[in-house]
Amino acid sequence: MIARALLLATALIAASSATAVAQTPETFANRNVIAAPVLRANVQVSGDLVRIGDVIDNAGSAAQIAIYRAPDLGTTGSLPVAQVLNTLRTHQVIGVDSRDLKEISVTRLARALEGKDIELQIVRALERRNGLGDGANLSLTFDRDPGDVKLDAGFTGAMQASIVRYDNRTGRFDVTFEIGNENGAAAAKLRFTGTAIETVEAAVLVRNVERNEILKSSDVVVERRPKAEAGADAAARDRAVGMQARRQLRAGQAIRIADLVKPDLVQRDQNVILVYEAPGIYITMRGKSLENGTEGDVVNVMNLQSKRTLSGTVIGRGQVSISPASIAPATSRLPQTSDTTSSLGATQPAPVAVATVSSPVAPKTE
């Protein structure tokens, strides 16, 4: 059998302190009274010592005598049968039926605590403590990787946090757990230290973005970042895409709402369509924007026909709505021509020329 060798430094308890015997030569003669001890091929122990009662059946009063140190937690070792029989004889255990075995295997049972379960227990202990938020948003960094922890099989109790400390200025945590033993032994204590950081989902740039540039879907990914880095106004990805950068942004930067503005729908010196709309009337004219503006912004524009500066509201890309108050004085001086575009409702008594444009524009489609 290939297995980890037992630490065969026999933890033999002095023979003078272990006078109990399974079967002395005298008692062995009476087979009708005491059954013969029988060697076991496979031995399982839950502590750090292998006792006579572990390796043979019918050990009698010698069962509790320790004869070997057990292998490491969760591992299996082997012992030559000849060596085991010699060890038993030193404790006056004779007449053992070896069943023609050459060696026996010894397995030390253990309870394994996986590293991911330990981390989960620490997160639960720290959740909403000293300003921390939900456990799902906590990221832990350990001073020493806990890995998988193994305990004697007798420690069957749940992990109970007995000491929990967290400093929200440094992010340092110090957590101690206790695990009870079903055999009445003292509880096992496990201590873990490290750093806990609260994180949030943030929209992160994959490339450098210039001021006033529109963010595309391919420019933004979602990553978890420390809350202190992303800020309280971290932008969600769906809110960032399609927005305009208020300032120059660098690749890898978590985007904040304050970094974004609605995209400009009109640019300074851009040719735009001026739209006048009133009950029963819809008129479009050519114009030029005198400043940038996003949807809902009020901007100054120039009517290219009259060269008059008007004020209007941006309603779409390249479109500015002109209020009746802005257009009325100009239109009152305009003559009627065949180059006028207007749309009248059924209640209007007669067509009225409102504005002149350089080229016909189709009426608005409802």
Side-chain angles (χ1 to χ4, degrees), residues 141-318:
T141 301
F142 292 91
D143 292 336
R144 177 182 292 180
D145 184 4
D148 295 341
V149 175
K150 292 181 180 179
L151 302 173
D152 278 325
F155 292 100
T156 58
M159 293 181 66
Q160 301 289 342
S162 57
I163 300 175
V164 181
R165 298 189 180 98
Y166 176 74
D167 187 337
N168 57 9
R169 295 172 300 174
T170 63
R172 297 283 304 167
F173 70 81
D174 186 339
V175 180
T176 298
F177 294 99
E178 291 189 357
I179 301 177
N181 190 295
E182 65 180 4
N183 299 320
K189 293 187 177 181
L190 301 176
R191 181 185 178 192
F192 303 95
T193 59
T195 304
I197 298 176
E198 187 170 2
T199 64
V200 295
E201 283 192 348
V204 178
L205 290 172
V206 299
R207 66 177 182 88
N208 294 333
V209 173
E210 299 300 322
R211 181 176 179 270
N212 293 331
E213 193 171 352
I214 305 299
L215 299 185
K216 302 186 293 293
S217 178
S218 59
D219 296 333
V220 185
V221 295
V222 176
E223 294 181 1
R224 278 209 164 268
R225 292 293 178 89
K227 185 176 181 179
E229 173 190 330
D233 64 339
R237 183 180 185 279
D238 57 353
R239 184 168 182 178
V241 173
M243 297 293 280
Q244 182 173 308
R246 187 189 295 273
R247 59 182 67 86
Q248 187 180 41
L249 303 174
R250 68 181 185 278
Q253 179 177 342
I255 307 171
R256 302 188 181 195
I257 294 175
D259 296 329
L260 307 173
V261 293
K262 291 181 179 180
D264 288 338
L265 298 181
V266 298
Q267 303 283 339
R268 183 175 181 177
D269 294 330
Q270 175 187 354
N271 288 334
V272 296
I273 298 298
L274 307 182
V275 178
Y276 172 82
E277 189 171 8
I281 302 175
Y282 180 85
I283 305 169
T284 60
M285 298 161 280
R286 289 192 305 162
K288 182 173 73 174
S289 178
L290 302 181
E291 52 192 333
N292 295 346
T294 186
E295 185 175 7
D297 285 351
V298 176
V299 296
N300 289 323
V301 294
M302 178 184 290
N303 184 330
L304 294 180
Q305 178 69 25
S306 65
K307 304 301 182 183
R308 182 171 178 232
T309 297
L310 308 172
S311 141
T313 303
V314 178
I315 59 173
R317 188 167 298 281

